[in-house]
Amino acid sequence: METEMDFQTEIRRSPVLKSKRPLVASSMLHAEPLLLTIDTSFCTDIAKEVGIKYTDVVEGLLPCKETSRDALKRITPETMAEIIKGKYTSKFIHQIVDCRFPYEHAGGHIADAINIQTTHDLERTFFPTPPSASLPRVIVFHCEFSAQRAPKMGLHLRNHDRNLNLHVYPHLSYPHVYILEGGYKAFWDQHADLCEPRGYVEMSDPAYADELRKYANLHKAEFKRAYSTGFLRT
């Protein structure tokens, strides 16, 4: 498993609540679970005031499952393959974000995936948001096993999105964010024909020891700063 980054984030699940008043999460990591348990009628009223549909915020577009690790839903490699093959073309626009290090991405990646390793590049890529499209936007994050890097980047996007849209809560610019279950390894095992170039370089490949050391240190430093400033906790 992806043990090279010792970043185990303990995320407690929020209790099921029903309130007539907005709930303020103690951590932005809890934003989505709390949102899903707020009184629907209350959120619908807020949505009407800011001119958005409540269903646009809370409903998913893909078969997925929740995890106790964080607030982002997981999709299977099979669902990812269906997206690439065009099954959902009429339902949404998709973007695949590969959070692995550059040498991993260069050695083989999911078709059309973009490689992003830093929060700065992530924010610059997705914000300001593009002009409104006729279809919703789906973003799928993954790394080698989707155990550490992808969830952290996905949560950073969600938290940044939430902070930018606090004035129109519960609206999100990107409400449909998913994590690829099992990461590139699981997808490669099942759908190598949808990878380009057709290859798989492990993060711990000895041939890239220097690159691993470099990017792992940068990754650790970046998310240490995020936690120290409270960005991932507020």
Side-chain angles (χ1 to χ4, degrees):
M1 299 302 291
E2 195 168 272
T3 58
E4 72 289 351
M5 256 86 58
D6 188 19
F7 296 123
Q8 296 300 328
T9 305
E10 297 182 3
I11 303 173
R12 294 172 294 179
R13 302 294 289 177
S14 302
V16 177
L17 301 172
K18 187 179 181 70
S19 171
K20 294 297 183 180
R21 302 181 61 187
L23 297 177
V24 179
S26 61
S27 168
M28 290 306 295
L29 292 175
H30 300 254
E32 192 168 53
L34 283 173
L35 175 57
L36 291 174
T37 58
I38 295 176
D39 187 347
T40 302
S41 62
F42 171 75
C43 285
T44 302
D45 291 340
I46 293 180
K48 288 179 180 178
E49 290 182 9
V50 297
I52 60 173
K53 296 180 180 179
Y54 175 69
T55 53
D56 289 341
V57 179
V58 299
E59 290 184 357
L61 296 174
L62 291 166
C64 59
K65 65 180 182 181
E66 295 184 344
T67 174
S68 60
R69 296 188 63 180
D70 54 60
L72 300 178
K73 296 178 177 60
R74 268 56 175 175
I75 63 169
T76 65
E78 184 59 35
T79 297
M80 183 77 265
E82 291 175 344
I83 293 174
I84 296 172
K85 292 177 180 179
K87 179 177 179 178
Y88 301 97
T89 301
S90 63
K91 295 185 178 180
F92 56 76
I93 301 167
H94 75 275
Q95 180 66 70
I96 306 168
V97 180
D98 183 350
C99 303
R100 295 177 301 158
F101 300 145
Y103 65 89
E104 297 174 84
H105 180 82
H109 55 267
I110 299 174
D112 298 326
I114 59 174
N115 188 213
I116 301 178
Q117 304 97 40
T118 69
T119 56
H120 173 74
D121 288 342
L122 183 68
E123 293 172 13
R124 186 175 59 180
T125 299
F126 291 101
F127 299 95
T129 55
S132 298
S134 58
L135 295 175
R137 290 171 60 89
V138 163
I139 303 175
V140 182
F141 287 85
H142 79 84
C143 50
E144 185 173 7
F145 301 106
S146 288
Q148 295 290 336
R149 291 173 286 179
K152 286 182 179 180
M153 292 288 278
L155 287 170
H156 183 88
L157 179 74
R158 170 55 52 82
N159 296 337
H160 190 66
D161 192 354
R162 180 68 72 196
N163 286 339
L164 293 178
N165 285 289
L166 284 176
H167 62 294
V168 287
Y169 180 87
H171 174 69
L172 290 167
S173 298
Y174 300 102
H176 307 292
V177 177
Y178 300 90
I179 303 295
L180 173 60
E181 186 176 42
Y184 184 75
K185 173 63 166 62
F187 189 84
W188 165 258
D189 287 343
Q190 300 177 40
H191 302 284
D193 59 310
L194 297 177
C195 299
E196 53 185 34
R198 192 174 294 188
Y200 171 27
V201 174
E202 296 182 4
M203 188 191 70
S204 57
D205 189 323
Y208 299 95
D210 291 339
E211 288 89 339
L212 170 58
R213 188 177 302 106
K214 170 186 174 181
Y215 290 110
N217 287 336
L218 289 174
H219 179 88
K220 290 180 181 180
E222 177 161 331
F223 281 93
K224 182 178 181 180
R225 285 195 300 270
Y227 279 102
S228 66
T229 58
F231 182 85
L232 294 177
R233 297 196 298 269
T234 59

